[in-house]
Amino acid sequence: MMAKLLKNREILLVVAIIALVALIALRFPAFISPASFARVYNDTSILIILALGQMAVILTRCIDLSMAANLALSGMAAAMLNTAFPGLPIPLVILAAMALGGLLGMINGTLVWKLNIPPIVVTLGTLTIYRGLIFLLTDGKWINAHEMSDTFKALPRLELAGMPVLSWLSLLMITLMYLVMSRTPLGRAFYAVGGNPHAAVYTGIDVGRTRFFAYCLSGTLAGLSGYLWVSRYAVAYVDIAAGFELDIIAACVIGGISIAGGIGSVGGAVLGALFLGVIKNALPVINISPFAQMAISGTVIVIAVAVNARAEKRKGRVILRKAEAV
């Protein structure tokens, strides 16, 4: 029983997070308070939302390097909309950001589907294009807190039942993604396409269309995250979330989402993001230098990739043994 539990990636991650928190508590006991945990979760909420979108793409044997750039462009567009029309209801601003993010995701998905361009090439190109569009729209200028309406900035910080709305939104996205991945044909198609695209075709699944929908989903979540990022930090500029795409992919890899596709879970993506969130919140508290923080984060990612690779090889060997026995 214990051996089976230890093979479960989510349980291992929970144990790793508890062990990490315990080590940090030796240096900084206040870190284990409920208020501290709630703050860490809130700080990680945007990363969780983005990791859920990236998970859908990676499951189909693709990758989205443009998520952070999509976030930046959608966030800037939301801020510009708010400054131009301060009286516009915030739900409409959020829907506009999500629609723009979804459109940018559709562009990625169409290029991968219809032109059969490798996903890494497509999203590396659109990453640069989306960043360039922000500069063209703003001429490199910032939108600062005093230019944004109070209601625009207030929503993520607004408390509901003792938790910020930002945390509640991430919990809502986790619930919705769990339902999509476990209860809908689309979620099952993501796994099927990533597990064996050739076999998926014989079951009637359109591989290209499935990947297109995965990019639409990741883009929409990036658009939502764009509004949340800009409103929470009350600033919008060209380099918002620069390099954050690496954290998003790292969260998925640490959470056991296989880069080879077809393997992973919502719980794994969430726990991978939380693991990174604990590291990023704790290391400055215990006076670890920024350069050491980068080295530690990189080491964690490499170890996670190695663990994933060994797990997949082990599964392959079991299949071979069964085949030989037959």
Side-chain angles (χ1 to χ4, degrees):
M1 182 67 178
M2 182 59 69
K4 287 183 179 179
L5 288 176
L6 290 176
K7 286 181 181 179
N8 186 293
R9 185 55 175 260
E10 286 79 6
I11 292 175
L12 282 174
L13 267 173
V14 170
V15 171
I17 291 171
I18 292 171
L20 181 61
V21 170
L23 286 172
I24 295 162
L26 294 176
R27 290 279 301 272
F28 190 70
F31 192 78
I32 61 173
S33 68
S36 178
F37 287 150
R39 190 161 50 249
V40 169
Y41 181 84
N42 193 58
D43 288 343
T44 314
S45 290
I46 293 176
L47 178 58
I48 289 172
I49 294 170
L50 292 166
L52 292 172
Q54 186 72 248
M55 176 197 68
V57 174
I58 292 177
L59 282 175
T60 65
R61 294 195 182 185
C62 294
I63 198 161
D64 190 353
L65 297 177
S66 68
M67 282 196 84
N70 186 331
L71 177 157
L73 180 52
S74 300
M76 177 60 79
M80 292 176 71
L81 190 61
N82 176 249
T83 54
F85 305 100
L88 193 66
I90 298 304
L92 290 181
V93 175
I94 296 173
L95 287 174
M98 293 176 70
L100 176 58
L103 176 62
L104 299 178
M106 286 175 62
I107 293 171
N108 288 334
T110 302
L111 292 173
V112 170
W113 177 20
K114 295 298 186 182
L115 299 185
N116 203 28
I117 304 173
I120 194 168
V121 176
V122 168
T123 56
L124 190 59
T126 53
L127 179 159
T128 308
I129 293 169
Y130 298 161
R131 292 280 180 193
L133 284 174
I134 302 172
F135 188 86
L136 290 175
L137 285 171
T138 63
D139 200 25
K141 296 177 181 176
W142 292 32
I143 297 178
N144 295 304
H146 67 274
E147 299 174 85
M148 301 175 185
S149 69
D150 291 337
T151 52
F152 181 87
K153 295 178 289 185
L155 182 62
R157 300 181 184 85
L158 187 67
E159 289 208 354
L160 186 63
M163 275 205 320
V165 168
L166 177 57
S167 294
W168 285 113
L169 281 172
S170 70
L171 289 171
L172 175 62
M173 292 303 110
I174 292 168
T175 303
L176 291 176
M177 277 299 293
Y178 174 78
L179 293 174
V180 168
M181 301 307 295
S182 63
R183 304 295 173 87
T184 68
L186 181 61
R188 291 190 287 273
F190 289 157
Y191 283 103
V193 167
N196 191 327
H198 300 295
V201 171
Y202 288 110
T203 63
I205 295 172
D206 188 318
V207 173
R209 183 179 287 112
T210 301
R211 288 172 172 166
F212 170 80
F213 285 129
Y215 277 109
C216 290
L217 180 57
S218 72
T220 302
L221 291 178
L224 171 63
S225 300
Y227 162 75
L228 294 172
W229 187 295
V230 169
S231 58
R232 186 185 185 214
Y233 297 109
V235 64
Y237 55 97
V238 174
D239 289 331
I240 291 174
F244 202 62
E245 56 274 351
L246 300 180
D247 286 349
I248 301 166
I249 295 168
C252 290
V253 171
I254 292 169
I257 316 299
S258 173
I259 295 295
I263 299 173
S265 68
V266 170
V270 172
L271 288 169
L274 283 173
F275 187 85
L276 278 183
V278 169
I279 290 176
K280 290 182 178 295
N281 277 270
L283 294 184
V285 168
I286 57 177
N287 298 320
I288 302 293
S289 75
F291 300 105
Q293 291 174 37
M294 291 172 63
I296 292 169
S297 298
T299 302
V300 168
I301 294 166
V302 171
I303 291 171
V305 171
V307 169
N308 285 351
R310 283 185 62 83
E312 287 163 26
K313 282 182 182 178
R314 192 157 52 244
K315 289 176 183 176
R317 285 197 293 272
V318 170
I319 291 168
L320 288 172
R321 280 201 298 270
K322 287 181 179 178
E324 288 168 3
V326 172

Short mmCIF file of all heavy atoms in Angstrom, two decimals, residues 237-288:
data_model
loop_
_atom_site.label_atom_id
_atom_site.label_comp_id
_atom_site.label_asym_id
_atom_site.label_seq_id
_atom_site.Cartn_x
_atom_site.Cartn_y
_atom_site.Cartn_z
N TYR A 237 3.14 47.46 -18.91
CA TYR A 237 4.26 47.90 -19.75
C TYR A 237 4.68 46.75 -20.66
O TYR A 237 4.16 45.63 -20.56
CB TYR A 237 5.44 48.36 -18.89
CG TYR A 237 5.92 47.35 -17.87
CD1 TYR A 237 7.01 46.53 -18.13
CD2 TYR A 237 5.28 47.21 -16.64
CE1 TYR A 237 7.45 45.61 -17.21
CE2 TYR A 237 5.71 46.30 -15.71
CZ TYR A 237 6.80 45.49 -15.99
OH TYR A 237 7.22 44.57 -15.07
N VAL A 238 5.61 47.02 -21.56
CA VAL A 238 5.96 46.05 -22.60
C VAL A 238 6.47 44.74 -22.02
O VAL A 238 6.10 43.65 -22.49
CB VAL A 238 7.03 46.65 -23.55
CG1 VAL A 238 7.52 45.59 -24.54
CG2 VAL A 238 6.46 47.84 -24.31
N ASP A 239 7.30 44.81 -21.01
CA ASP A 239 7.98 43.61 -20.50
C ASP A 239 7.26 42.94 -19.33
O ASP A 239 7.90 42.26 -18.52
CB ASP A 239 9.42 43.95 -20.10
CG ASP A 239 10.29 44.23 -21.30
OD1 ASP A 239 10.02 43.66 -22.37
OD2 ASP A 239 11.24 45.03 -21.18
N ILE A 240 5.95 43.13 -19.23
CA ILE A 240 5.20 42.42 -18.18
C ILE A 240 5.47 40.91 -18.30
O ILE A 240 5.42 40.35 -19.39
CB ILE A 240 3.69 42.65 -18.34
CG1 ILE A 240 3.32 44.08 -18.02
CG2 ILE A 240 2.90 41.73 -17.42
CD1 ILE A 240 1.87 44.38 -18.29
N ALA A 241 5.76 40.28 -17.18
CA ALA A 241 5.91 38.82 -17.11
C ALA A 241 6.97 38.30 -18.08
O ALA A 241 6.88 37.16 -18.55
CB ALA A 241 4.57 38.14 -17.37
N ALA A 242 7.98 39.10 -18.37
CA ALA A 242 9.05 38.64 -19.27
C ALA A 242 9.75 37.43 -18.66
O ALA A 242 10.16 37.44 -17.51
CB ALA A 242 10.06 39.77 -19.50
N GLY A 243 9.86 36.37 -19.44
CA GLY A 243 10.48 35.14 -18.98
C GLY A 243 9.59 34.24 -18.15
O GLY A 243 9.99 33.14 -17.76
N PHE A 244 8.36 34.68 -17.89
CA PHE A 244 7.46 33.91 -17.03
C PHE A 244 7.01 32.61 -17.68
O PHE A 244 6.58 31.68 -16.99
CB PHE A 244 6.24 34.76 -16.67
CG PHE A 244 5.52 34.33 -15.41
CD1 PHE A 244 6.18 34.34 -14.19
CD2 PHE A 244 4.20 33.91 -15.45
CE1 PHE A 244 5.53 33.95 -13.03
CE2 PHE A 244 3.54 33.51 -14.28
CZ PHE A 244 4.21 33.53 -13.07
N GLU A 245 7.16 32.52 -19.02
CA GLU A 245 6.79 31.28 -19.69
C GLU A 245 7.61 30.09 -19.18
O GLU A 245 7.14 28.95 -19.16
CB GLU A 245 6.94 31.40 -21.21
CG GLU A 245 8.31 31.81 -21.69
CD GLU A 245 8.50 33.32 -21.72
OE1 GLU A 245 7.52 34.05 -21.54
OE2 GLU A 245 9.66 33.75 -21.93
N LEU A 246 8.84 30.37 -18.72
CA LEU A 246 9.68 29.30 -18.19
C LEU A 246 9.12 28.78 -16.86
O LEU A 246 9.15 27.57 -16.59
CB LEU A 246 11.12 29.80 -18.02
CG LEU A 246 11.81 30.29 -19.29
CD1 LEU A 246 13.22 30.75 -18.98
CD2 LEU A 246 11.83 29.19 -20.35
N ASP A 247 8.61 29.68 -16.03
CA ASP A 247 7.98 29.26 -14.77
C ASP A 247 6.73 28.42 -15.04
O ASP A 247 6.46 27.44 -14.33
CB ASP A 247 7.60 30.48 -13.92
CG ASP A 247 8.80 31.16 -13.28
OD1 ASP A 247 9.90 30.58 -13.33
OD2 ASP A 247 8.64 32.26 -12.75
N ILE A 248 5.98 28.81 -16.06
CA ILE A 248 4.75 28.08 -16.39
C ILE A 248 5.08 26.65 -16.82
O ILE A 248 4.47 25.68 -16.33
CB ILE A 248 3.98 28.80 -17.52
CG1 ILE A 248 3.63 30.24 -17.12
CG2 ILE A 248 2.73 28.02 -17.90
CD1 ILE A 248 3.18 31.11 -18.28
N ILE A 249 6.05 26.51 -17.70
CA ILE A 249 6.45 25.18 -18.16
C ILE A 249 7.05 24.39 -17.02
O ILE A 249 6.79 23.18 -16.86
CB ILE A 249 7.43 25.30 -19.35
CG1 ILE A 249 6.72 25.95 -20.56
CG2 ILE A 249 7.99 23.93 -19.74
CD1 ILE A 249 7.65 26.36 -21.67
N ALA A 250 7.86 25.06 -16.19
CA ALA A 250 8.47 24.38 -15.04
C ALA A 250 7.42 23.84 -14.10
O ALA A 250 7.54 22.71 -13.58
CB ALA A 250 9.39 25.35 -14.30
N ALA A 251 6.37 24.62 -13.84
CA ALA A 251 5.29 24.16 -12.96
C ALA A 251 4.66 22.87 -13.49
O ALA A 251 4.38 21.94 -12.73
CB ALA A 251 4.23 25.24 -12.81
N CYS A 252 4.46 22.82 -14.81
CA CYS A 252 3.88 21.62 -15.42
C CYS A 252 4.82 20.43 -15.31
O CYS A 252 4.40 19.32 -14.95
CB CYS A 252 3.55 21.89 -16.89
SG CYS A 252 2.18 23.04 -17.14
N VAL A 253 6.09 20.65 -15.61
CA VAL A 253 7.07 19.55 -15.58
C VAL A 253 7.22 19.01 -14.16
O VAL A 253 7.22 17.80 -13.93
CB VAL A 253 8.43 20.03 -16.13
CG1 VAL A 253 9.51 18.98 -15.91
CG2 VAL A 253 8.31 20.35 -17.62
N ILE A 254 7.35 19.92 -13.19
CA ILE A 254 7.46 19.51 -11.79
C ILE A 254 6.21 18.74 -11.36
O ILE A 254 6.28 17.78 -10.58
CB ILE A 254 7.68 20.73 -10.87
CG1 ILE A 254 9.07 21.33 -11.14
CG2 ILE A 254 7.57 20.36 -9.39
CD1 ILE A 254 9.28 22.69 -10.51
N GLY A 255 5.06 19.14 -11.91
CA GLY A 255 3.80 18.48 -11.56
C GLY A 255 3.56 17.17 -12.27
O GLY A 255 2.50 16.56 -12.11
N GLY A 256 4.54 16.71 -13.07
CA GLY A 256 4.42 15.40 -13.70
C GLY A 256 3.74 15.41 -15.06
O GLY A 256 3.39 14.35 -15.57
N ILE A 257 3.56 16.60 -15.66
CA ILE A 257 3.01 16.66 -17.01
C ILE A 257 4.13 16.29 -17.97
O ILE A 257 5.15 16.98 -18.04
CB ILE A 257 2.47 18.06 -17.36
CG1 ILE A 257 1.66 18.66 -16.20
CG2 ILE A 257 1.67 18.03 -18.65
CD1 ILE A 257 0.47 17.89 -15.79
N SER A 258 3.96 15.21 -18.71
CA SER A 258 5.03 14.72 -19.58
C SER A 258 5.15 15.58 -20.83
O SER A 258 4.15 15.82 -21.53
CB SER A 258 4.76 13.27 -19.98
OG SER A 258 5.69 12.84 -20.94
N ILE A 259 6.38 16.03 -21.11
CA ILE A 259 6.62 16.80 -22.33
C ILE A 259 6.32 15.95 -23.57
O ILE A 259 6.02 16.48 -24.64
CB ILE A 259 8.08 17.30 -22.36
CG1 ILE A 259 8.33 18.29 -21.21
CG2 ILE A 259 8.43 17.95 -23.68
CD1 ILE A 259 7.54 19.58 -21.33
N ALA A 260 6.40 14.63 -23.44
CA ALA A 260 6.09 13.74 -24.55
C ALA A 260 4.59 13.61 -24.79
O ALA A 260 4.17 13.00 -25.77
CB ALA A 260 6.69 12.36 -24.29
N GLY A 261 3.77 14.21 -23.90
CA GLY A 261 2.32 14.22 -24.10
C GLY A 261 1.60 13.04 -23.47
O GLY A 261 2.19 12.00 -23.20
N GLY A 262 0.30 13.24 -23.23
CA GLY A 262 -0.57 12.16 -22.80
C GLY A 262 -0.56 11.81 -21.33
O GLY A 262 -1.37 11.01 -20.89
N ILE A 263 0.36 12.37 -20.55
CA ILE A 263 0.46 12.04 -19.13
C ILE A 263 0.42 13.32 -18.31
O ILE A 263 1.17 14.26 -18.60
CB ILE A 263 1.76 11.27 -18.81
CG1 ILE A 263 1.81 9.95 -19.58
CG2 ILE A 263 1.89 11.01 -17.31
CD1 ILE A 263 3.13 9.22 -19.45
N GLY A 264 -0.42 13.35 -17.29
CA GLY A 264 -0.49 14.52 -16.42
C GLY A 264 -1.89 14.69 -15.86
O GLY A 264 -2.84 14.03 -16.28
N SER A 265 -2.01 15.58 -14.89
CA SER A 265 -3.31 15.81 -14.25
C SER A 265 -3.41 17.25 -13.79
O SER A 265 -2.40 17.96 -13.65
CB SER A 265 -3.48 14.88 -13.05
OG SER A 265 -2.57 15.23 -12.02
N VAL A 266 -4.64 17.68 -13.55
CA VAL A 266 -4.89 19.02 -13.02
C VAL A 266 -4.21 19.17 -11.66
O VAL A 266 -3.56 20.18 -11.37
CB VAL A 266 -6.40 19.28 -12.92
CG1 VAL A 266 -6.68 20.56 -12.13
CG2 VAL A 266 -7.01 19.37 -14.30
N GLY A 267 -4.36 18.15 -10.81
CA GLY A 267 -3.75 18.20 -9.48
C GLY A 267 -2.24 18.34 -9.57
O GLY A 267 -1.63 19.09 -8.79
N GLY A 268 -1.61 17.64 -10.51
CA GLY A 268 -0.17 17.73 -10.67
C GLY A 268 0.26 19.13 -11.07
O GLY A 268 1.24 19.68 -10.54
N ALA A 269 -0.46 19.75 -12.03
CA ALA A 269 -0.12 21.11 -12.47
C ALA A 269 -0.24 22.10 -11.31
O ALA A 269 0.60 22.98 -11.14
CB ALA A 269 -1.03 21.53 -13.62
N VAL A 270 -1.30 21.95 -10.51
CA VAL A 270 -1.52 22.86 -9.38
C VAL A 270 -0.41 22.69 -8.35
O VAL A 270 0.17 23.67 -7.86
CB VAL A 270 -2.89 22.60 -8.73
CG1 VAL A 270 -3.04 23.40 -7.44
CG2 VAL A 270 -4.01 22.96 -9.71
N LEU A 271 -0.08 21.44 -8.02
CA LEU A 271 0.96 21.19 -7.02
C LEU A 271 2.34 21.62 -7.51
O LEU A 271 3.16 22.12 -6.74
CB LEU A 271 0.98 19.71 -6.64
CG LEU A 271 -0.22 19.23 -5.81
CD1 LEU A 271 -0.24 17.72 -5.72
CD2 LEU A 271 -0.18 19.85 -4.41
N GLY A 272 2.59 21.45 -8.82
CA GLY A 272 3.85 21.92 -9.38
C GLY A 272 3.99 23.43 -9.25
O GLY A 272 5.05 23.95 -8.90
N ALA A 273 2.90 24.14 -9.53
CA ALA A 273 2.91 25.60 -9.39
C ALA A 273 3.09 26.00 -7.92
O ALA A 273 3.85 26.93 -7.61
CB ALA A 273 1.62 26.20 -9.94
N LEU A 274 2.41 25.29 -7.02
CA LEU A 274 2.55 25.61 -5.59
C LEU A 274 3.96 25.33 -5.08
O LEU A 274 4.49 26.08 -4.25
CB LEU A 274 1.54 24.78 -4.78
CG LEU A 274 0.09 25.28 -4.81
CD1 LEU A 274 -0.82 24.29 -4.10
CD2 LEU A 274 -0.03 26.66 -4.18
N PHE A 275 4.58 24.27 -5.58
CA PHE A 275 5.96 23.97 -5.19
C PHE A 275 6.88 25.13 -5.57
O PHE A 275 7.70 25.59 -4.76
CB PHE A 275 6.42 22.68 -5.87
CG PHE A 275 7.76 22.19 -5.41
CD1 PHE A 275 7.87 21.41 -4.27
CD2 PHE A 275 8.92 22.50 -6.09
CE1 PHE A 275 9.10 20.95 -3.83
CE2 PHE A 275 10.15 22.05 -5.67
CZ PHE A 275 10.25 21.27 -4.53
N LEU A 276 6.72 25.62 -6.80
CA LEU A 276 7.50 26.79 -7.22
C LEU A 276 7.14 28.02 -6.41
O LEU A 276 8.01 28.83 -6.06
CB LEU A 276 7.26 27.08 -8.71
CG LEU A 276 8.06 26.28 -9.74
CD1 LEU A 276 7.72 26.77 -11.14
CD2 LEU A 276 9.55 26.38 -9.49
N GLY A 277 5.85 28.17 -6.10
CA GLY A 277 5.40 29.32 -5.32
C GLY A 277 6.02 29.34 -3.93
O GLY A 277 6.42 30.39 -3.44
N VAL A 278 6.10 28.17 -3.30
CA VAL A 278 6.72 28.09 -1.97
C VAL A 278 8.19 28.48 -2.06
O VAL A 278 8.70 29.24 -1.23
CB VAL A 278 6.56 26.66 -1.40
CG1 VAL A 278 7.43 26.49 -0.15
CG2 VAL A 278 5.11 26.38 -1.07
N ILE A 279 8.88 27.96 -3.08
CA ILE A 279 10.30 28.28 -3.25
C ILE A 279 10.49 29.78 -3.44
O ILE A 279 11.32 30.41 -2.77
CB ILE A 279 10.90 27.51 -4.44
CG1 ILE A 279 11.01 26.01 -4.11
CG2 ILE A 279 12.28 28.06 -4.81
CD1 ILE A 279 11.49 25.16 -5.26
N LYS A 280 9.71 30.37 -4.34
CA LYS A 280 9.90 31.78 -4.67
C LYS A 280 9.52 32.70 -3.51
O LYS A 280 10.07 33.79 -3.37
CB LYS A 280 9.10 32.14 -5.92
CG LYS A 280 9.68 31.51 -7.19
CD LYS A 280 8.91 31.91 -8.41
CE LYS A 280 9.53 31.31 -9.66
NZ LYS A 280 10.88 31.81 -9.93
N ASN A 281 8.58 32.27 -2.69
CA ASN A 281 8.19 33.09 -1.53
C ASN A 281 9.13 32.89 -0.35
O ASN A 281 9.34 33.82 0.44
CB ASN A 281 6.76 32.75 -1.10
CG ASN A 281 5.72 33.48 -1.90
OD1 ASN A 281 5.30 34.58 -1.56
ND2 ASN A 281 5.31 32.89 -3.01
N ALA A 282 9.70 31.69 -0.23
CA ALA A 282 10.50 31.38 0.95
C ALA A 282 11.95 31.79 0.84
O ALA A 282 12.55 32.25 1.82
CB ALA A 282 10.42 29.88 1.24
N LEU A 283 12.54 31.62 -0.34
CA LEU A 283 13.98 31.87 -0.46
C LEU A 283 14.38 33.31 -0.12
O LEU A 283 15.39 33.52 0.57
CB LEU A 283 14.45 31.50 -1.87
CG LEU A 283 14.36 30.00 -2.21
CD1 LEU A 283 14.94 29.73 -3.59
CD2 LEU A 283 15.08 29.15 -1.18
N PRO A 284 13.62 34.33 -0.55
CA PRO A 284 14.00 35.69 -0.12
C PRO A 284 13.88 35.89 1.39
O PRO A 284 14.67 36.63 1.99
CB PRO A 284 12.99 36.60 -0.87
CG PRO A 284 12.49 35.77 -1.99
CD PRO A 284 12.50 34.35 -1.49
N VAL A 285 12.90 35.20 2.01
CA VAL A 285 12.67 35.35 3.45
C VAL A 285 13.88 34.85 4.25
O VAL A 285 14.24 35.40 5.28
CB VAL A 285 11.39 34.60 3.85
CG1 VAL A 285 11.27 34.49 5.37
CG2 VAL A 285 10.16 35.31 3.30
N ILE A 286 14.50 33.76 3.75
CA ILE A 286 15.65 33.20 4.48
C ILE A 286 16.98 33.71 3.91
O ILE A 286 18.02 33.08 4.05
CB ILE A 286 15.61 31.66 4.48
CG1 ILE A 286 15.57 31.11 3.05
CG2 ILE A 286 14.41 31.16 5.25
CD1 ILE A 286 15.60 29.59 2.99
N ASN A 287 16.89 34.87 3.21
CA ASN A 287 18.08 35.59 2.75
C ASN A 287 18.93 34.81 1.75
O ASN A 287 20.17 34.84 1.80
CB ASN A 287 18.95 36.01 3.95
CG ASN A 287 18.22 36.96 4.87
OD1 ASN A 287 17.50 37.85 4.41
ND2 ASN A 287 18.38 36.78 6.18
N ILE A 288 18.28 34.12 0.83
CA ILE A 288 18.99 33.48 -0.28
C ILE A 288 19.07 34.50 -1.41
O ILE A 288 18.08 35.12 -1.77
CB ILE A 288 18.25 32.22 -0.76
CG1 ILE A 288 18.09 31.22 0.39
CG2 ILE A 288 18.98 31.58 -1.93
CD1 ILE A 288 19.37 30.62 0.89
#
